[in-house]
Amino acid sequence: MLENRHLVQPDDFTVEEIDSILDLGMKIKKTPEDYTRVCEGKLLATLFYEPSTRTRLSFEAAMNRLGGRIIGFSDPSASSVSKGESLEDTITIVGNYVDIIAMRHFESGAANIASRASKKPFINAGDGKNQHPTQTLTDLITIKANRGSLDNMTIGMCGDLKYGRTVHSLAKAMSRYTGIKFIFIAPKELEMPDYVKEQISNVEYEETTSLEEAMAKCDVLYMTRVQRERFDDPQQYERLKDSYILDTDKMSLAKDDMMVLHPLPRVNEISVEVDEDPRAKYFEQAEYGMYVRMALIMKLLGCKVVD
Ligand code: CP
């Protein structure tokens, strides 16, 4: 039962519970007209303390498409946060007004604190460099829809693996499926943190600095942006920002059925010429994000299709 639960990190839900969300997301994508009133009378709060395009707008589109409504902020300086109100108090107050809360915060661990204060289902929409579980649901549904399964594949993760919350969440989530191998492709300064590697110690992984060497082995290549906003030293960012650029030459080294994913936004790390390659799935991935968030909202609110 997912009703009234919180989602702070992917392993808050069992593999079976995650699979049930993905299956519902795929059903909604096929027949969205069956779901236009399932959340009528329900209210979602989107509290975004950090910029977002996909996550906030796909949550808001999702709730609108389910027949529910939305309140919230995308600029915390216009809320009482700017007067010094605590996160816990904000969540308690908002929980009195709405049925479900999605929050993005710039601080790692903020989602955990907020979920403990929340009497309504709480969804972590990304907390600092920690976790981004609804991006992971988005990644999983895209892989499953394209490959038919989440088992038996090699996943290359490339770019900023140190600060990238999307790869931290995805590695954790994928390590629970069968026959998974990871290749972590990053400059030394942006390697996958030890604490994440410890969490996935049941899974085989290799580490390399060479994207070219990894290309032929990957069934899924998950590109990430080097995130300017996570660096204290602007010179280090300048030095590392173009460490990897996926272009058509590198794509020629990959399997014919490899998938390229990216949580987006991209900057330079995927050349626009790759967009035309049928293996580029990142725009499709962003679309799946809305359907899987519709499924998640329905499950957490216990909304059902009524005949
Ligand atoms: N993938 C993702 O989280 O994108 P936004 O930052 O635009 O929400």
Side-chain angles (χ1 to χ4, degrees):
M1 274 286 285
L2 285 165
E3 197 171 341
N4 288 324
R5 300 258 298 275
H6 301 321
L7 176 60
V8 175
Q9 52 188 1
D11 53 6
D12 287 340
F13 296 169
T14 65
V15 168
E16 291 72 27
E17 286 168 342
I18 286 184
D19 287 346
S20 76
I21 296 168
L22 306 183
D23 290 347
L24 178 58
M26 285 197 238
K27 275 169 78 174
I28 297 171
K29 184 169 188 288
K30 262 193 202 139
T31 56
E33 64 279 8
D34 291 347
Y35 299 86
T36 53
R37 299 180 63 180
V38 291
C39 286
E40 238 171 26
K42 300 289 186 186
L43 201 49
L44 163 73
T46 54
L47 312 181
F48 275 64
Y49 293 78
E50 199 185 50
S52 167
T53 296
R54 273 146 295 275
T55 310
R56 184 171 68 82
L57 295 182
S58 65
F59 262 118
E60 296 187 357
M63 194 51 157
N64 274 306
R65 285 176 181 275
L66 293 169
R69 294 179 183 217
I70 297 131
I71 61 168
F73 56 75
S74 55
D75 175 8
S77 68
S79 76
S80 285
V81 171
S82 62
K83 302 176 199 162
E85 185 166 53
S86 71
L87 183 57
E88 289 94 328
D89 284 1
T90 303
I91 294 292
T92 301
I93 298 305
V94 173
N96 290 332
Y97 304 150
V98 304
D99 303 289
I100 184 166
I101 300 172
M103 184 191 84
R104 169 169 291 186
H105 204 282
F106 50 85
E107 270 180 21
S108 300
N112 203 21
I113 293 167
S115 72
R116 287 201 300 263
S118 183
K119 291 188 175 59
K120 299 289 168 62
F122 173 88
I123 303 168
N124 177 8
D127 63 327
K129 57 184 165 54
N130 188 30
Q131 298 287 324
H132 194 348
T134 65
Q135 180 62 49
T136 298
L137 293 175
T138 300
D139 305 337
L140 297 183
I141 194 173
T142 311
I143 296 171
K144 193 167 180 182
N146 278 276
R147 289 180 60 86
S149 159
L150 292 168
D151 296 320
N152 302 318
M153 71 188 88
T154 297
I155 304 169
M157 296 184 176
C158 178
D160 177 1
L161 307 188
K162 180 177 179 185
Y163 300 117
R165 59 193 173 201
T166 60
V167 285
H168 301 165
S169 284
L170 183 60
K172 229 173 152 178
M174 286 302 302
S175 71
R176 299 198 292 176
Y177 291 88
T178 305
I180 299 300
K181 292 182 191 163
F182 294 117
I183 307 177
F184 298 139
I185 309 147
K188 288 279 169 222
E189 296 89 335
L190 298 178
E191 278 178 355
M192 188 63 94
D194 287 340
Y195 79 89
V196 178
K197 289 188 269 188
E198 281 157 22
Q199 288 168 347
I200 57 155
S201 57
N202 59 315
V203 171
E204 197 182 313
Y205 68 83
E206 59 181 276
E207 296 183 279
T208 178
T209 56
S210 170
L211 177 55
E212 287 84 346
E213 272 178 35
M215 284 305 286
K217 300 182 208 167
C218 294
D219 298 302
V220 175
L221 175 63
Y222 197 91
M223 294 297 294
T224 64
R225 174 176 67 96
V226 176
Q227 304 167 94
R228 181 202 300 266
E229 65 273 27
R230 306 279 178 232
F231 283 79
D232 293 328
D233 176 0
Q235 285 178 340
Q236 190 188 40
Y237 169 73
E238 286 301 321
R239 195 162 39 76
L240 295 173
K241 66 178 184 180
D242 291 329
S243 296
Y244 302 102
I245 297 177
L246 183 65
D247 55 17
T248 48
D249 285 348
K250 292 193 189 73
M251 286 298 287
S252 70
L253 305 172
K255 293 179 186 177
D256 290 344
D257 62 350
M258 187 190 78
M259 297 170 62
V260 183
L261 299 182
H262 190 312
L264 305 177
R266 78 169 147 192
V267 186
N268 281 332
E269 61 280 1
I270 301 180
S271 301
V272 289
E273 64 197 20
V274 176
D275 297 356
E276 302 304 318
D277 190 308
R279 295 169 291 182
K281 302 292 183 189
Y282 29 90
F283 293 127
E284 180 183 324
Q285 179 186 3
E287 186 189 351
Y288 269 114
M290 180 182 71
Y291 294 112
V292 86
R293 289 182 175 102
M294 289 171 79
L296 176 65
I297 291 168
M298 279 184 67
K299 292 275 184 186
L300 298 186
L301 289 177
C303 298
K304 304 251 178 339
V305 178
V306 272
D307 296 321

